[in-house]
Amino acid sequence: MEQLAMLWEYQQEDMKADRLANEIKRNPLRQKLEQDRNLYMEKKQQHKQIQEQVAVLADRKDAIRDAIARCEEQLKGLSDRFANDPPQDLDAVRALMIEVARCKDTIASYEGEMKRMVKDVGDHNQKQRTLSHEAAGLRAEFEKLKAQYDKESPEKKAALDAQRAVAKEKAQGIDPKLMEHYASIRKHIVPPMARLIGDQCSGCNTSQPSALLRKIKSGSEIVECETCGRMIIQ
């Protein structure tokens, strides 16, 4: 019973520290800082992704150039064959012309892809310039706001540190396993402890079964609310 009472006192100070921390987090200046930081990181990530896309296009461009060169060599070979060993009949002429047409179509297809890639690279470069400009603006605003925030935050941070020190002092003498149990519940619901008011958990206002009520009132063991999961004390 004494341990639960000590834990309850610890919770009061722990929740005060929690409220101070939340006040700091809800500070409009801090929220704007976080917003600018997140946007800046998003712009940087987008810039990196475009760089990777441009690199892929550059590799593809080199591959297309090599493919066009091979097609042109093949076309020249067909032309040389026609000059040095002319087809002897109409079918041979048609076969040769089909090969020539296939090479020209392939070259035209590659050239069309190359033009589209050049346009894509131009678009990507423009996006990179825009992103770089936007990122620079966000960074400048962030630095300005951070300088202002750094002037205002020490007092609030000092108050939070002082309150956390008070809570830490209250934790002295409490069974470590009980503190671990408290911390485990705290991850899911805050505050992790509640008083029994009448036959109800004050955390969720749910009536407790008679068997649990007897355990709570005896104070012989830790009892958790079946609805919200908080530890309930008398």
Side-chain angles (χ1 to χ4, degrees):
M1 186 68 174
E2 181 183 354
Q3 285 283 299
L4 289 176
M6 291 171 64
L7 187 62
W8 177 263
E9 290 184 8
Y10 166 77
Q11 176 176 270
Q12 306 315 301
E13 303 305 327
D14 185 34
M15 291 302 99
K16 287 179 184 178
D18 210 40
R19 286 192 292 273
L20 286 173
N22 286 331
E23 286 177 10
I24 292 174
K25 288 180 180 178
R26 290 195 299 268
N27 182 306
L29 189 56
R30 179 189 175 95
Q31 290 179 340
K32 179 60 177 170
L33 272 172
E34 292 178 351
Q35 181 184 355
D36 282 357
R37 180 196 61 197
N38 292 339
L39 283 174
Y40 174 77
M41 297 305 296
E42 182 181 333
K43 300 294 181 185
K44 293 288 286 184
Q45 181 61 29
Q46 290 174 355
H47 191 278
K48 181 180 178 182
Q49 289 173 347
I50 291 176
Q51 281 184 321
E52 292 171 351
Q53 291 169 358
V54 169
V56 170
L57 288 174
D59 291 341
R60 177 59 181 162
K61 189 176 180 180
D62 291 340
I64 289 175
R65 281 176 175 164
D66 292 341
I68 290 176
R70 289 194 297 270
C71 286
E72 289 175 341
E73 288 177 4
Q74 186 178 357
L75 194 59
K76 184 179 182 301
L78 292 171
S79 178
D80 291 343
R81 192 206 309 174
F82 183 82
N84 299 327
D85 185 19
Q88 299 301 311
D89 54 44
L90 184 59
D91 287 341
V93 172
R94 286 175 177 168
L96 183 62
M97 295 304 294
I98 288 173
E99 287 189 64
V100 170
R102 185 182 297 117
C103 285
K104 288 184 176 180
D105 287 345
T106 301
I107 290 173
S109 175
Y110 281 139
E111 288 177 342
E113 184 179 353
M114 184 76 80
K115 288 179 181 179
R116 292 191 296 273
M117 288 172 57
V118 169
K119 182 181 182 303
D120 288 343
V121 169
D123 291 343
H124 287 332
N125 287 337
Q126 178 58 47
K127 287 180 181 178
Q128 280 186 307
R129 287 191 290 271
T130 300
L131 287 169
S132 295
H133 177 73
E134 291 174 349
L138 285 168
R139 185 173 182 82
E141 182 178 9
F142 176 86
E143 295 296 340
K144 181 180 178 180
L145 291 174
K146 188 174 185 302
Q148 181 181 348
Y149 178 77
D150 288 344
K151 290 180 180 178
E152 299 177 4
S153 63
E155 183 178 345
K156 294 179 180 179
K157 187 177 183 303
L160 176 59
D161 290 343
Q163 183 56 43
R164 282 177 173 161
V166 171
K168 185 176 180 179
E169 186 176 347
K170 288 289 184 181
Q172 298 298 319
I174 300 176
D175 187 336
K177 290 185 178 180
L178 186 57
M179 287 295 294
E180 287 179 10
H181 191 64
Y182 173 92
S184 176
I185 296 175
R186 196 184 194 284
K187 292 177 181 178
H188 307 289
I189 190 163
V190 176
M193 296 182 73
R195 288 284 190 187
L196 181 68
I197 306 298
D199 65 348
Q200 294 182 340
C201 164
S202 61
C204 63
N205 298 320
T206 301
S207 296
Q208 303 300 302
S210 56
L212 285 183
L213 289 174
R214 287 193 294 271
K215 290 181 180 180
I216 296 169
K217 292 176 180 179
S218 70
S220 58
E221 59 184 286
I222 296 173
V223 180
E224 295 179 10
C225 175
E226 293 183 343
T227 301
C228 68
R230 289 182 172 91
M231 285 187 282
I232 307 178
I233 64 172
Q234 180 68 32

Short mmCIF file of all heavy atoms in Angstrom, two decimals, residues 1-12 170 174-175 178-179 181-182 193 222 231 233:
data_model
loop_
_atom_site.label_atom_id
_atom_site.label_comp_id
_atom_site.label_asym_id
_atom_site.label_seq_id
_atom_site.Cartn_x
_atom_site.Cartn_y
_atom_site.Cartn_z
N MET A 1 0.84 -1.20 0.00
CA MET A 1 0.00 0.00 0.00
C MET A 1 0.88 1.26 0.00
O MET A 1 0.63 2.21 -0.72
CB MET A 1 -0.93 -0.01 1.23
CG MET A 1 -1.94 1.12 1.24
SD MET A 1 -3.17 0.91 -0.08
CE MET A 1 -4.28 2.25 0.29
N GLU A 2 1.93 1.24 0.83
CA GLU A 2 2.82 2.39 0.91
C GLU A 2 3.51 2.64 -0.44
O GLU A 2 3.66 3.78 -0.86
CB GLU A 2 3.87 2.16 2.01
CG GLU A 2 4.82 3.35 2.17
CD GLU A 2 5.88 3.09 3.20
OE1 GLU A 2 5.82 2.05 3.88
OE2 GLU A 2 6.78 3.94 3.34
N GLN A 3 3.91 1.55 -1.09
CA GLN A 3 4.57 1.67 -2.39
C GLN A 3 3.64 2.33 -3.43
O GLN A 3 4.06 3.19 -4.19
CB GLN A 3 5.01 0.30 -2.90
CG GLN A 3 6.24 -0.25 -2.21
CD GLN A 3 7.52 0.42 -2.72
OE1 GLN A 3 7.84 0.34 -3.90
NE2 GLN A 3 8.25 1.07 -1.82
N LEU A 4 2.37 1.93 -3.42
CA LEU A 4 1.41 2.51 -4.36
C LEU A 4 1.17 3.99 -4.05
O LEU A 4 1.01 4.80 -4.96
CB LEU A 4 0.09 1.74 -4.33
CG LEU A 4 0.13 0.33 -4.93
CD1 LEU A 4 -1.21 -0.37 -4.74
CD2 LEU A 4 0.47 0.40 -6.42
N ALA A 5 1.17 4.31 -2.75
CA ALA A 5 0.99 5.71 -2.35
C ALA A 5 2.18 6.55 -2.84
O ALA A 5 2.01 7.68 -3.32
CB ALA A 5 0.83 5.81 -0.84
N MET A 6 3.37 5.99 -2.68
CA MET A 6 4.57 6.69 -3.15
C MET A 6 4.53 6.84 -4.68
O MET A 6 4.90 7.89 -5.22
CB MET A 6 5.83 5.90 -2.73
CG MET A 6 6.10 5.92 -1.24
SD MET A 6 7.42 4.77 -0.76
CE MET A 6 8.82 5.50 -1.62
N LEU A 7 4.07 5.79 -5.35
CA LEU A 7 3.98 5.85 -6.81
C LEU A 7 2.96 6.90 -7.25
O LEU A 7 3.15 7.59 -8.24
CB LEU A 7 3.60 4.47 -7.36
CG LEU A 7 3.64 4.34 -8.89
CD1 LEU A 7 5.05 4.58 -9.42
CD2 LEU A 7 3.15 2.95 -9.33
N TRP A 8 1.89 7.04 -6.47
CA TRP A 8 0.88 8.04 -6.79
C TRP A 8 1.48 9.45 -6.68
O TRP A 8 1.24 10.30 -7.54
CB TRP A 8 -0.33 7.90 -5.86
CG TRP A 8 -1.39 8.95 -6.10
CD1 TRP A 8 -1.54 10.11 -5.41
CD2 TRP A 8 -2.38 8.93 -7.11
NE1 TRP A 8 -2.59 10.84 -5.92
CE2 TRP A 8 -3.14 10.13 -6.97
CE3 TRP A 8 -2.73 8.04 -8.10
CZ2 TRP A 8 -4.21 10.44 -7.80
CZ3 TRP A 8 -3.80 8.33 -8.93
CH2 TRP A 8 -4.52 9.52 -8.78
N GLU A 9 2.24 9.67 -5.63
CA GLU A 9 2.89 10.98 -5.46
C GLU A 9 3.88 11.24 -6.60
O GLU A 9 4.00 12.36 -7.10
CB GLU A 9 3.62 11.05 -4.11
CG GLU A 9 2.68 11.09 -2.92
CD GLU A 9 3.43 11.25 -1.60
OE1 GLU A 9 4.67 11.47 -1.66
OE2 GLU A 9 2.80 11.15 -0.54
N TYR A 10 4.59 10.17 -6.99
CA TYR A 10 5.52 10.31 -8.13
C TYR A 10 4.74 10.70 -9.38
O TYR A 10 5.17 11.56 -10.15
CB TYR A 10 6.27 9.00 -8.36
CG TYR A 10 6.97 8.96 -9.69
CD1 TYR A 10 8.17 9.64 -9.90
CD2 TYR A 10 6.42 8.26 -10.76
CE1 TYR A 10 8.80 9.63 -11.13
CE2 TYR A 10 7.05 8.23 -12.00
CZ TYR A 10 8.23 8.92 -12.19
OH TYR A 10 8.85 8.90 -13.42
N GLN A 11 3.59 10.06 -9.58
CA GLN A 11 2.80 10.36 -10.78
C GLN A 11 2.39 11.83 -10.82
O GLN A 11 2.39 12.44 -11.90
CB GLN A 11 1.55 9.47 -10.85
CG GLN A 11 0.66 9.84 -12.05
CD GLN A 11 -0.53 8.91 -12.21
OE1 GLN A 11 -0.44 7.92 -12.90
NE2 GLN A 11 -1.64 9.25 -11.55
N GLN A 12 2.05 12.41 -9.69
CA GLN A 12 1.63 13.81 -9.68
C GLN A 12 2.74 14.71 -10.23
O GLN A 12 2.50 15.61 -11.04
CB GLN A 12 1.25 14.26 -8.25
CG GLN A 12 0.21 13.38 -7.56
CD GLN A 12 -0.96 13.03 -8.46
OE1 GLN A 12 -1.67 13.89 -8.96
NE2 GLN A 12 -1.17 11.74 -8.68
N LYS A 170 11.02 11.93 -6.16
CA LYS A 170 9.85 11.20 -5.65
C LYS A 170 9.95 9.70 -5.97
O LYS A 170 9.32 8.88 -5.29
CB LYS A 170 8.57 11.76 -6.27
CG LYS A 170 8.17 13.12 -5.74
CD LYS A 170 7.67 13.03 -4.32
CE LYS A 170 7.16 14.38 -3.81
NZ LYS A 170 6.69 14.29 -2.41
N ILE A 174 10.95 3.66 -4.45
CA ILE A 174 9.89 2.86 -5.09
C ILE A 174 10.53 1.62 -5.73
O ILE A 174 11.58 1.71 -6.37
CB ILE A 174 9.13 3.67 -6.16
CG1 ILE A 174 8.47 4.90 -5.52
CG2 ILE A 174 8.07 2.81 -6.83
CD1 ILE A 174 7.77 5.81 -6.51
N ASP A 175 9.89 0.48 -5.56
CA ASP A 175 10.37 -0.78 -6.12
C ASP A 175 10.59 -0.62 -7.63
O ASP A 175 9.68 -0.22 -8.35
CB ASP A 175 9.34 -1.88 -5.86
CG ASP A 175 9.83 -3.26 -6.27
OD1 ASP A 175 10.73 -3.34 -7.12
OD2 ASP A 175 9.30 -4.25 -5.74
N LEU A 178 7.97 -2.06 -9.82
CA LEU A 178 6.74 -1.28 -9.84
C LEU A 178 6.89 -0.08 -10.79
O LEU A 178 5.96 0.26 -11.52
CB LEU A 178 6.41 -0.79 -8.42
CG LEU A 178 5.07 -0.07 -8.23
CD1 LEU A 178 3.90 -0.94 -8.69
CD2 LEU A 178 4.89 0.36 -6.78
N MET A 179 8.07 0.52 -10.79
CA MET A 179 8.33 1.63 -11.70
C MET A 179 8.30 1.16 -13.16
O MET A 179 7.79 1.86 -14.05
CB MET A 179 9.69 2.25 -11.39
CG MET A 179 9.73 3.07 -10.11
SD MET A 179 8.67 4.56 -10.20
CE MET A 179 9.52 5.51 -11.47
N HIS A 181 6.55 -1.33 -14.27
CA HIS A 181 5.15 -1.57 -14.59
C HIS A 181 4.44 -0.25 -14.91
O HIS A 181 3.65 -0.17 -15.86
CB HIS A 181 4.47 -2.27 -13.40
CG HIS A 181 3.12 -2.80 -13.71
ND1 HIS A 181 2.89 -3.80 -14.63
CD2 HIS A 181 1.89 -2.47 -13.22
CE1 HIS A 181 1.60 -4.06 -14.70
NE2 HIS A 181 0.96 -3.26 -13.85
N TYR A 182 4.72 0.75 -14.12
CA TYR A 182 4.17 2.10 -14.34
C TYR A 182 4.56 2.61 -15.73
O TYR A 182 3.73 3.09 -16.50
CB TYR A 182 4.69 3.03 -13.25
CG TYR A 182 4.35 4.50 -13.42
CD1 TYR A 182 3.21 5.04 -12.84
CD2 TYR A 182 5.19 5.34 -14.14
CE1 TYR A 182 2.90 6.38 -12.98
CE2 TYR A 182 4.90 6.70 -14.29
CZ TYR A 182 3.75 7.21 -13.70
OH TYR A 182 3.45 8.54 -13.85
N MET A 193 -2.07 5.81 -13.65
CA MET A 193 -2.74 5.44 -12.39
C MET A 193 -4.02 6.23 -12.23
O MET A 193 -4.13 7.36 -12.72
CB MET A 193 -1.82 5.70 -11.19
CG MET A 193 -0.56 4.88 -11.14
SD MET A 193 0.40 5.24 -9.63
CE MET A 193 -0.59 4.42 -8.38
N ILE A 222 -1.37 -5.19 -7.08
CA ILE A 222 -1.65 -4.20 -8.14
C ILE A 222 -2.89 -4.65 -8.91
O ILE A 222 -2.99 -5.80 -9.34
CB ILE A 222 -0.45 -4.10 -9.10
CG1 ILE A 222 0.78 -3.57 -8.36
CG2 ILE A 222 -0.79 -3.19 -10.28
CD1 ILE A 222 2.05 -3.58 -9.19
N MET A 231 -3.58 1.38 -13.46
CA MET A 231 -3.51 0.87 -12.10
C MET A 231 -4.49 1.67 -11.24
O MET A 231 -4.48 2.91 -11.29
CB MET A 231 -2.10 1.00 -11.55
CG MET A 231 -1.11 0.02 -12.09
SD MET A 231 0.48 0.13 -11.22
CE MET A 231 1.17 1.58 -11.99
N ILE A 233 -5.92 2.65 -7.43
CA ILE A 233 -5.64 2.61 -5.99
C ILE A 233 -6.80 3.24 -5.24
O ILE A 233 -7.57 4.03 -5.79
CB ILE A 233 -4.32 3.32 -5.64
CG1 ILE A 233 -4.40 4.83 -5.97
CG2 ILE A 233 -3.15 2.68 -6.36
CD1 ILE A 233 -3.19 5.61 -5.48
#
